[in-house]
Amino acid sequence: MAEVVLPPSPYRCIECNQEASELYRDYNHGVLKLTICKSCQKLVDKYIEYDPVIILINAILCKAQVYRHILFNTKINIHGKLCMFCLLCEAYLRWWQLQDSNQNTAPDDLIRYAKEWDFYRMFAVASLEQSAFFIGIFTFLCMERVKTAKKRPDFGLLLKGLLLSSYGKLLLIPAVIWEHDYTPLCLRLIKVFVLTSNFQAIRVTLNINRVLSLLAVLSGLLLESGMVYFFQRIEWDVGSDCAFYRDQDF
């Protein structure tokens, strides 16, 4: 008799990461009861009852449970738009640093054209550096899979997790607008926060240990650093994200 292969369950327990067929059961007259995980005997996903503000606070605290809630138990598809907006924020920061350091006496029309081109250039640089960071992570995980003979990671879900966990880059714009003596320190802290969020996203998405997650992030940083060095060689280095953003005289 042929073995019946069951399809994978669509949800995950936020506590133990075991698969679950449902998050809650809907009884008559709108009575809902949250599902209990068969493995850990806890609620499969308590966050479905939480206010979005509470969920955001827990995400800022980098709790693994809320990352599982967002990545496995919700249908959030804003990662593409969020990525584009984060890149625009980073490009604006670099463009602002470039304009702040340049003193140009060219005609006004030429200045406007040059500034617009500089912004596009900074956007391209930020995009390439982020791509290098992701490629470094994926390459390390592929090599690790070959060594341990494990199943192929879900790179689609991992990419979504990395993009969503980079939301901390949105803080770059307020840090620049409300500039003060501690702005360079704020930019460094934002970078550390984004890397910490990426680390947690990798660990939760692939259900791997902290050491492998850390090595994956370091591999991404290594390849990103190589990209930064390349741009420095061609004199395109402007406030690199990998270098914790260059100090400026704010």
Side-chain angles (χ1 to χ4, degrees), residues 26-175:
D26 188 0
Y27 295 94
N28 292 331
H29 308 295
V31 178
L32 302 179
K33 182 179 180 181
L34 299 184
T35 305
I36 302 296
C37 178
K38 297 179 181 179
S39 177
C40 64
Q41 301 302 313
K42 296 181 180 179
L43 294 177
V44 172
D45 192 345
K46 61 183 179 181
Y47 286 109
I48 61 177
E49 290 188 322
Y50 281 33
D51 188 88
V53 176
I54 304 299
I55 295 175
L56 177 61
I57 292 174
N58 282 268
I60 293 174
L61 296 175
C62 293
K63 290 189 175 181
Q65 292 88 345
V66 77
Y67 273 69
R68 293 191 184 102
H69 164 75
I70 294 172
L71 293 174
F72 296 117
N73 299 338
T74 63
K75 296 181 179 179
I76 297 179
N77 292 314
I78 63 170
H79 49 283
K81 296 178 181 178
L82 180 63
C83 172
M84 183 64 64
F85 195 71
C86 288
L87 288 174
L88 288 172
C89 291
E90 193 170 341
Y92 174 78
L93 171 65
R94 297 170 185 232
W95 176 82
W96 176 78
Q97 290 177 334
L98 180 65
Q99 304 310 313
D100 188 61
S101 61
N102 287 346
Q103 297 296 330
N104 203 324
T105 59
D108 291 343
D109 291 341
L110 185 58
I111 291 176
R112 282 195 294 269
Y113 176 79
K115 287 183 177 181
E116 182 179 353
W117 162 245
D118 285 337
F119 181 82
Y120 296 147
R121 181 163 59 94
M122 294 303 100
F123 182 83
V125 170
S127 301
L128 290 173
E129 288 183 6
Q130 179 171 277
S131 299
F133 177 69
F134 290 162
I135 291 173
I137 292 176
F138 294 153
T139 302
F140 171 82
L141 293 173
C142 284
M143 294 174 61
E144 183 64 25
R145 181 183 67 88
V146 171
K147 286 182 183 179
T148 57
K150 293 182 179 179
K151 65 178 183 179
R152 182 178 180 273
D154 187 349
F155 284 140
L157 183 61
L158 177 58
L159 179 60
K160 177 181 178 180
L162 288 172
L163 293 176
L164 288 175
S165 62
S166 298
Y167 68 94
K169 292 182 179 181
L170 299 177
L171 298 173
L172 294 174
I173 298 302

